[in-house]
């Protein structure tokens, strides 16, 4: 009943007044209607559900609180009646078995062109689209490089001042209201531009497109709850336009998304044997123009088997997330996903391909602004494992770096580090410099991705990459689930397909070195030294190699799997941040200057990042009074219910439903 404060009130008051309790599916049912308070003098007061905030019974009276008036007290109450109608919410129907001709489909596409354009805007927004255009640098920056990219230490922001956006970013965990909510923009496009399309009646004449959109809506929803926690999933899905919005539990959203995924898969399966070739041709054409998410070698957009594999791969991702919270259910979902068919080859991968959209990867422009440099922990990890990327992907320091007059005691930084002599990342959490000019801010001269190579290889912006699915299956197999193979086989295959280059790029440097990489037995033990000496020397935290050893403990095997998955996911940080929170891997440097956070994150162990130094969610940090009230009424309670009713707070260290403080095995 948690999804509806009014339904909860109804049950509570029913119980208190001796009435029968209302039973409902907590995941999909809300109640609408009227509550009537009958007083003994014959006076009746009716309150609509939409206006009712709460109702409670006291010793001798009933008290109601509405959104539009102050609390009201009713004495001498005879009884309270409820004229409720149970309504299923969030259940977007897919009537895929109805007869639809190719001409009817074509006409529906024509009549829905405005809504389909809106939906495409939402799809672009999943990876930094803006104003209805494919992913661009500014929007991508707010989604990724100001936040999660730094939380997982792929990158670090080298300067604190962003006058064009009117905010200052003091360090990695800074609770900066100007940027911290940026990762929520992806789902924001879904609620404003995709949900109305999903609820349009005419889209029922193209159930396969509707099923794709529903799957993408839910993909974005899972990303969002994994970042922030509870959200008004059902209200946004059914295009509720005004507050109050009810925040739904992460658990309930996971279960509803799984149900939607299953429905979409059945739609895709039915399509194969029950639609005409002319119908399928029109579906393929619509996908190319109105979805534009493809696989790099995917020639036939009318073949929807790729969407079955994508949907099942998302289900597998969700199962792994919840493997510590609900291990039995997680095992069931994961085995079901693999049996139904997940991404098996590079041609099954789904993402945006900038070369096909007439654009470039947004990171190219962001690096050109000197708004990001490489994270010290990430570069140090790659150096210690002798990863192929260290042979070709990154630049060395672009300027000569002098040891600072404020250098810490004991640093081994030389007086001058010559230009282009070292690969060097920036410690996450360190106080950044001022401005993006390398002459004034030495941090802007630290290592970056090599612009020329990165531009040439057209890195896709993946939603689901084959290597991720391999590592998901490797972890599942390690947990004893039937993943259709061994943990070792999936681990090694994941590494072989982990490169970020477009699959069609023929001169791929990664593949020239990967077999040697697979046989790395032990890390090199290279310490990190800041050329400016502003942070102490940092010994390597990487104690594992790459080569699979069947004699390793489960914990060591898991660390290897997650570490390689982390590298393979680069530069997509959302999934890496989930893994870091739920497993503690990969081992990274502690993030400094935690005093810039909301006070809940601790410095932790100075030698390695520990659980108390890992930010666990993005706070909501609302500005408007109504959103604050919604959060207090249903958001905080949903956070609490997700964690077995432990006291919850809207803070950076609040654990989410799947983020269990318990051993990995």
């Amino acid at each position: 009943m948690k999804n509806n404060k009014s339904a909860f009130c109804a049950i509570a008051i029913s119980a208190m007044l001796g009435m029968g309790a209302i039973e409902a599916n907590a995941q999909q049912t809300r109640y609408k209607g009227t509550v009537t308070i009958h007083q003994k003098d014959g006076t009746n007061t009716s309150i609509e559900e939409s206006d009712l905030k709460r109702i409670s019974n006291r010793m001798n009276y009933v008290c109601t609180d509405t959104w539009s008036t102050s609390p009201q007290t009713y004495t001498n109450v005879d009884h309270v009646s409820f004229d409720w109608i149970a309504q299923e919410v969030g259940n977007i129907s897919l009537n895929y078995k109805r007869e639809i001709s190719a001409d009817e489909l074509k006409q529906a596409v024509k009549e829905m062109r405005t809504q389909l354009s809106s939906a495409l805007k939402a799809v672009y927004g999943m990876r930094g689209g803006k104003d209805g255009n494919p992913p661009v640098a500014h929007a991508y920056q707010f989604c990724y490089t100001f936040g999660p990219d730094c939380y997982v230490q792929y990158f670090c922001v080298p300067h604190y001042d962003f006058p064009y956006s009117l905010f200052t970013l003091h360090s990695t965990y800074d609770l900066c209201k100007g940027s911290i909510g940026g990762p929520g923009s992806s789902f924001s496009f879904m609620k404003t531009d995709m949900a109305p399309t999903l609820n349009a009646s005419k889209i029922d004449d193209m159930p396969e497109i509707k099923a794709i959109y529903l799957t993408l809506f839910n993909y974005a929803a899972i990303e969002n709850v994994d970042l922030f926690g509870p959200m008004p999933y059902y209200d946004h899905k059914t295009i509720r336009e005004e507050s109050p919005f009810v925040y739904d539990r992460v658990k309930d959203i996971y279960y509803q998304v799984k149900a939607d995924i299953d429905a979409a898969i059945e739609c895709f399966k039915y399509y194969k044997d029950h639609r005409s070739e002319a119908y399928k041709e029109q579906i393929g054409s619509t996908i190319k123009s109105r979805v534009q998410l493809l696989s790099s070698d995917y020639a036939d957009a009318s073949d929807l088997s790729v969407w079955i594999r994508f949907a099942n791969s998302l289900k597998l991702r969700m199962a792994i997330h919840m493997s510590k919270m609900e291990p039995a259910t997680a095992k069931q979902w994961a085995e079901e996903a693999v049996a139904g068919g997940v991404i098996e080859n590079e041609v099954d991968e789904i993402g945006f391909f900038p070369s096909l959209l007439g654009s470039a990867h947004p990171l190219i422009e962001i690096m050109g602004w000197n708004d990001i440099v490489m994270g010290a922990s990430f570069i140090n990890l790659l150096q210690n494992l002798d990863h192929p990327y260290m042979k070709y992907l990154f630049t060395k320091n672009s300027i000569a770096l002098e040891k600072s007059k404020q250098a810490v005691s004991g640093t081994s930084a030389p007086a001058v580090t010559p230009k282009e002599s070292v690969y060097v990342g920036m410690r996450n959490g360190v106080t950044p410099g001022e401005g993006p000019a390398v002459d004034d801010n030495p941090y802007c001269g630290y290592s970056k991705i090599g612009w020329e190579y990165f531009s040439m290889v057209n890195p896709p912006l993946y939603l689901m990459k084959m290597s991720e699915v391999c590592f998901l299956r490797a972890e599942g197999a390690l947990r004893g689930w039937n993943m259709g193979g061994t943990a070792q086989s999936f681990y090694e295959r994941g590494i072989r397909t982990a490169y970020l280059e477009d699959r069609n790029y023929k001169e791929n440097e990664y593949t020239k070195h990967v077999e040697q990489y697979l046989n790395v037995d032990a890390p090199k033990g290279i310490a990190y030294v800041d050329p400016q000496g502003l942070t102490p020397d940092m010994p390597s935290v990487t104690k594992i190699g790459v080569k699979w050893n069947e004699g390793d403990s489960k914990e060591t095997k898991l660390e290897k799997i997650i570490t390689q998955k982390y590298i393979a996911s680069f530069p997509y940080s959302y999934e890496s941040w989930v893994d870091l929170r739920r497993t503690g891997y990969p081992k990274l440097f502690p993030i400094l200057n935690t005093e810039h956070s909301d006070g809940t994150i601790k410095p932790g162990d100075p030698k390695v990042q520990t659980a108390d130094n890992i930010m666990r969610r993005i706070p909501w940090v609302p500005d408007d009074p109504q959103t604050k009230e919604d959060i207090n009424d249903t958001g905080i309670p949903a956070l609490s219910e997700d964690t077995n009713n432990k006291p919850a707070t809207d803070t950076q260290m609040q654990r989410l439903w799947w983020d269990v403080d318990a051993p990995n095995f």
Side-chain angles (χ1 to χ4, degrees):
M1 301 309 304
K2 93 125 217 89
N3 279 329
N4 186 321
K5 58 182 175 298
S6 301
F8 174 81
C9 294
I11 291 177
I13 195 70
S14 296
M16 289 184 288
L17 297 179
M19 302 164 62
I22 301 172
E23 306 240 349
N25 182 330
Q27 293 167 20
Q28 296 185 16
T29 304
R30 298 265 181 87
Y31 286 84
K32 294 187 180 293
T34 305
V35 57
T36 302
I37 300 166
H38 304 266
Q39 292 175 269
K40 293 178 180 178
D41 63 1
T43 303
N44 297 330
T45 303
S46 296
I47 304 171
E48 292 297 318
E49 177 272 343
S50 60
D51 196 40
L52 183 63
K53 185 176 181 180
R54 63 176 60 89
I55 181 171
S56 57
N57 186 48
R58 309 292 177 169
M59 183 67 69
N60 298 310
Y61 60 90
V62 170
C63 183
T64 64
D65 193 1
T66 69
W67 300 101
S68 57
T69 63
S70 301
Q72 302 293 314
T73 300
Y74 301 90
T75 57
N76 298 314
V77 175
D78 182 68
H79 67 284
V80 179
S81 64
F82 300 88
D83 182 16
W84 297 114
I85 299 175
Q87 292 190 354
E88 287 194 349
V89 294
N91 185 18
I92 302 290
S93 62
L94 291 170
N95 189 9
Y96 55 85
K97 292 186 178 181
R98 57 187 291 246
E99 292 293 328
I100 306 169
S101 69
D103 287 339
E104 288 174 317
L105 173 60
K106 187 174 183 180
Q107 181 62 28
V109 171
K110 182 178 179 180
E111 294 180 20
M112 286 279 293
R113 58 184 178 273
T114 300
Q115 292 95 327
L116 295 178
S117 294
S118 180
L120 180 58
K121 179 181 177 182
V123 176
Y124 285 153
M126 297 177 75
R127 288 295 179 268
K130 183 179 180 182
D131 300 328
N133 296 312
V136 292
H138 275 118
Y140 184 95
Q141 187 175 37
F142 276 85
C143 278
Y144 300 100
T145 64
F146 284 143
D149 286 2
C150 295
Y151 305 156
V152 300
Q153 306 195 51
Y154 285 152
F155 298 111
C156 193
V157 179
H159 62 96
Y160 64 81
D161 47 332
F162 291 88
Y164 64 86
S165 295
L166 303 177
F167 68 79
T168 298
L169 190 62
H170 294 99
S171 66
T172 299
Y173 281 158
D174 185 8
L175 190 66
C176 173
K177 288 193 175 184
S179 66
I180 198 164
S185 62
S186 173
F187 185 76
S188 180
F189 283 108
M190 283 291 165
K191 72 183 182 184
T192 58
D193 297 300
M194 183 64 84
T197 305
L198 283 171
N199 284 276
S201 59
K202 198 64 181 177
I203 201 171
D204 288 330
D205 286 344
M206 53 183 94
E208 295 81 14
I209 300 299
K210 186 177 184 181
I212 290 173
Y213 285 162
L214 181 61
T215 302
L216 295 175
F217 179 94
N218 282 305
Y219 177 99
I222 291 298
E223 281 191 330
N224 197 73
V225 298
D226 289 344
L227 293 165
F228 296 89
M231 67 171 179
Y233 170 82
Y234 291 118
D235 281 346
H236 292 326
K237 196 175 185 182
T238 53
I239 53 177
R240 183 183 178 101
E241 296 181 353
E242 297 180 354
S243 292
F245 292 103
V246 178
Y247 282 67
D248 303 297
R249 294 189 304 175
V250 174
K251 175 178 179 177
D252 292 342
I253 296 169
Y254 262 63
Y255 273 76
Q256 182 61 55
V257 168
K258 196 266 187 181
D260 284 352
I261 288 172
D262 289 343
I265 289 171
E266 291 306 311
C267 175
F268 300 143
K269 288 162 64 175
Y270 184 87
Y271 160 90
K272 180 180 179 180
D273 298 322
H274 295 86
R275 298 300 186 194
S276 69
E277 291 306 311
Y279 183 99
K280 291 179 180 178
E281 184 178 346
Q282 180 65 52
I283 286 291
S285 175
T286 306
I287 289 173
K288 287 181 178 179
S289 63
R290 302 299 188 177
V291 180
Q292 296 189 13
L293 284 168
L294 300 170
S295 175
S296 54
D297 293 324
Y298 189 50
D300 183 8
S302 68
D303 179 5
L304 300 189
S305 61
V306 70
W307 289 99
I308 294 176
R309 290 189 285 274
F310 173 72
N312 275 319
S313 298
L314 174 58
K315 189 193 302 184
L316 177 60
R317 178 192 281 184
M318 293 161 57
I320 287 292
H321 289 183
M322 55 193 275
S323 57
K324 287 165 67 175
M325 183 62 187
E326 294 193 2
T329 301
K331 178 176 185 289
Q332 176 189 336
W333 289 13
E335 291 181 347
E336 187 180 286
V338 170
V342 293
I343 292 172
E344 296 274 4
N345 299 287
E346 291 97 322
V347 295
D348 297 334
E349 295 169 323
I350 290 288
F352 290 108
F353 296 86
S355 58
L356 300 179
L357 298 173
S359 61
H361 197 294
L363 282 173
I364 294 172
E365 190 170 0
I366 296 170
M367 288 186 295
W369 299 334
N370 283 338
D371 280 359
I372 53 170
V373 295
M374 301 312 302
S377 190
F378 183 54
I379 287 289
N380 187 256
L381 168 64
L382 298 179
Q383 287 177 312
N384 274 286
L385 295 180
D386 197 20
H387 191 275
Y389 284 166
M390 294 309 304
K391 301 180 183 352
Y392 66 89
L393 187 58
F394 306 109
T395 64
K396 294 182 179 179
N397 55 307
S398 62
I399 58 171
L401 296 167
E402 297 182 1
K403 185 177 180 179
S404 172
K405 294 178 181 179
Q406 286 77 44
V408 298
S409 175
T411 176
S412 60
V416 178
T417 300
K419 179 180 178 179
E420 296 183 354
S421 62
V422 295
Y423 293 106
V424 57
M426 181 177 169
R427 279 292 301 270
N428 283 91
V430 73
T431 302
E434 182 177 0
V438 293
D439 291 340
D440 300 320
N441 181 0
Y443 283 128
C444 293
Y446 283 31
S447 294
K448 301 182 182 72
I449 301 175
W451 179 89
E452 184 176 355
Y453 186 82
F454 198 68
S455 302
M456 186 167 51
V457 301
N458 293 315
L461 287 83
Y462 289 109
L463 269 67
M464 191 67 70
K465 194 175 175 183
M466 181 197 168
S467 55
E468 180 195 335
V469 177
C470 289
F471 291 121
L472 291 170
R473 295 174 79 175
E475 182 177 344
L478 186 65
R479 294 186 179 280
W481 304 349
N482 182 4
M483 295 287 96
T486 64
Q488 178 178 353
S489 66
F490 291 126
Y491 172 79
E492 292 176 348
R493 193 176 184 195
I495 294 174
R496 289 189 173 97
T497 58
Y499 54 92
L500 56 74
E501 294 89 334
D502 188 286
R503 305 305 187 184
N504 288 323
Y505 185 70
K506 302 304 181 185
E507 300 300 322
N508 185 346
E509 289 291 325
Y510 181 91
T511 56
K512 299 176 185 178
H513 307 285
V514 68
E515 295 304 320
Q516 179 182 352
Y517 178 66
L518 279 161
N519 286 296
V520 172
D521 266 321
K524 292 182 175 182
I526 301 171
Y528 167 75
V529 178
D530 177 10
Q532 297 185 79
L534 293 172
T535 61
D537 293 359
M538 185 69 194
S540 170
V541 297
T542 305
K543 308 302 180 186
I544 56 166
V546 180
K547 188 175 182 179
W548 188 264
N549 182 353
E550 198 57 48
D552 283 340
S553 66
K554 273 191 172 184
E555 198 66 41
T556 298
K557 289 176 181 175
L558 179 65
E559 183 179 357
K560 286 185 174 181
I561 290 169
I562 299 301
T563 300
Q564 295 305 318
K565 182 183 176 187
Y566 166 78
I567 298 170
S569 295
F570 177 77
Y572 174 61
S573 55
Y574 288 5
E575 183 66 7
S576 296
W577 191 31
V578 170
D579 287 338
L580 180 64
R581 288 175 283 169
R582 71 180 181 85
T583 70
Y585 299 129
K587 291 181 179 177
L588 300 172
F589 295 168
I591 291 183
L592 305 174
N593 286 328
T594 56
E595 65 270 16
H596 292 150
S597 72
D598 62 7
T600 60
I601 304 175
K602 307 303 179 186
D605 187 334
K607 296 180 180 179
V608 65
Q609 190 175 36
T610 49
D612 56 352
N613 183 251
I614 298 171
M615 178 172 158
R616 314 209 78 87
R617 67 178 281 269
I618 300 174
W620 292 306
V621 290
D623 288 320
D624 65 287
Q626 184 57 65
T627 301
K628 290 181 180 179
E629 193 163 2
D630 292 349
I631 288 171
N632 288 332
D633 286 343
T634 58
I636 300 299
L639 272 173
S640 176
E641 290 178 43
D642 263 334
T643 53
N644 295 320
N645 292 312
K646 297 176 183 176
T649 54
D650 184 17
T651 56
Q652 291 170 296
M653 281 299 284
Q654 173 65 51
R655 289 180 181 267
L656 300 180
W657 171 63
W658 43 258
D659 183 9
V660 181
D661 186 10
N664 287 313
F665 297 98

